[in-house]
Amino acid sequence: MSHIALYRAWRPQTFQDMVGQQHIIQTLQNAIREDRVSHAYLFNGPRGTGKTTTAKVLAKAINCERGPATEPCNVCDACRGITAGTVMDVVEIDAASNRGIDEIRDIRDKVRYAPSEVRFKVYIIDEVHMLTSEAFNALLKTLEEPPAHVIFILATTEPHKLPATIISRCQRFDFRQVSLPEQTERLGRICAEEGISADEDALAYIARLSDGGMRDAISLLEQVSAYGGEHITLSDAVEVTGGLAAEQFEQLAEAIRDRNAGAILPLVEGLMQAGKSADKCLENLVYYFRDLLVLKLAPQGRAATERIVDQDKYRSMAASFSSELLFRMIDVLNQYQLEIRHAALPQTIFEVALMKICTLQDTSGGRASAPADAPAPEAASQGAPGGEVQRLQQRIDTLERKIEQLLQSGVRPEGGGAGQAQASPASRGGGKGTNNFGARSGAGGMGGSIARVKLDPFLAAAESQASGQVRMKWADILQRVKGHNISTHAWFVNGEPVSAAENTILVAFKNSIHRETTEKPANREVIERVLHEVYNRPVRLATVMLKEWQTASEKGPAPADELTLLQEDERGGPPPEPEWVEEAVKLFGEDLVVIEDK
């Protein structure tokens, strides 16, 4: 059976046959039952979700010779004629090819005449958003004063392109994507009726590729059944649709895990030689790492892993990556997925994306990938002989290291001698103090230095839910920044979100020039405005050099009692230097300016 024949055979002929749109069907059936059918409907939703099919079923239901009925009989001449498209009073128009004012004027002239074969004239205008503005104006006049015997059904995938005056005169119904279980159940029913045996994981794989469209799912099923014959397997579905097999996923993931960029290029070349699509491979790889992330964050739940049959290998691979690294890898792949669709060399973009995630550093220090039942380091040290002494010694070493950093940044302990100390860059931030979000305000320009950021709150929150949400939304944030200011995006895109704490997002940069330019007041204002739009509340931006973040991540955040002592030391330090100190540094340089305590 051909694809067209299969689709026609399984195209819904009644409301009961519709999949996934029960809320819309019930509303329309109640309107028919109570004789409250509207003069105009707007059906909106993704492709292949049943908009035009519902419109035809509605036309049959209100014109059925045994009705109007909540279900068409599909036996009378009216129902059969509408199904076949031979009833002149039910007109289906493709607005993509009939988008001018002349076609709409023709409709306006003909609606005045009563129907000749059925009760109601029904005009189904598909892809109505393609009409010109003149055509919309002509249609608006008809919708304002419609004859009682005429019903308009407008269908579109882009309702935002319709004038508000058109939308306000229609009853709007939003069709949703069909869920995976509903699609899988319908595909299994089709296979049973057609005498085709299919594995459950193969049908689930086909349903996922259809992106919520039942029509696309049936098309893929026909394509796979033509290849696999009377039995459809997961490998057949992967092969026909251009996806990656489980072994290929594992090979790519192993190369990324081992940071073996040299092994990636031959693997990609082999995939391209096998006829795989670069953009489809990249899309499937995003799903693969997403499933790894689901297994790590929700190990007790049933993850959607239709592409992998061997669950043991899958879980073993998930244990090789930390949650933070998986978040960052998915963000990077998603950014390249937006670019590969319009790239002249998609294979090259695919290779660059893989090498990019291959070089990402795991800043979690291995903490995220530790088994859930492993004892905490402190607990292990307490149980060992001398563990308490060792733990205290580590805390003392950490505290001494923190105090040394504070002294280097210009903070002196109380009662210190009247020695000389050079003004450090961190102390010449133009009098900027600590803000309300746990991060120091930057100097705000290329000429000034950027103050150090307290990393301990961010280190403690690196694996928090808030930090994970930032990484998931990072592609959207970058896109919004690009829409506000392209030059700001050009510098900001080089940063990576590493943590979020106290209404502040910490972004790490490899290059100091990228960080300093991002910290400019104009660029910071654009970025924080975008963050306010995304989170619907004020959110601050803090920056740090990637090397500094990685070093601090290896050491880990200081315990709470050490943080308290450090905060007391900072409060007891000297106040910010006055503005004339900064001016003196600009005139004579740091080597010639010395600040003495009197």
Side-chain angles (χ1 to χ4, degrees), residues 500-512:
E502 302 176 354
N503 275 345
T504 303
I505 295 177
L506 182 65
V507 180
F509 290 86
K510 294 181 180 179
N511 195 310
S512 59

Side-chain angles (χ1 to χ4, degrees), residues 123-170:
Y123 288 91
I124 303 173
I125 305 180
D126 198 12
E127 301 297 338
V128 68
H129 65 273
M130 298 293 291
L131 293 179
T132 63
S133 57
E134 294 81 5
F136 274 125
N137 292 332
L139 179 62
L140 178 62
K141 185 63 177 178
T142 305
L143 292 180
E144 285 178 344
E145 301 174 358
H149 58 266
V150 176
I151 296 175
F152 285 93
I153 304 177
L154 314 180
T156 179
T157 56
E158 303 181 52
H160 58 276
K161 294 185 178 180
L162 271 65
T165 51
I166 295 289
I167 297 177
S168 64
R169 286 167 172 81
C170 303

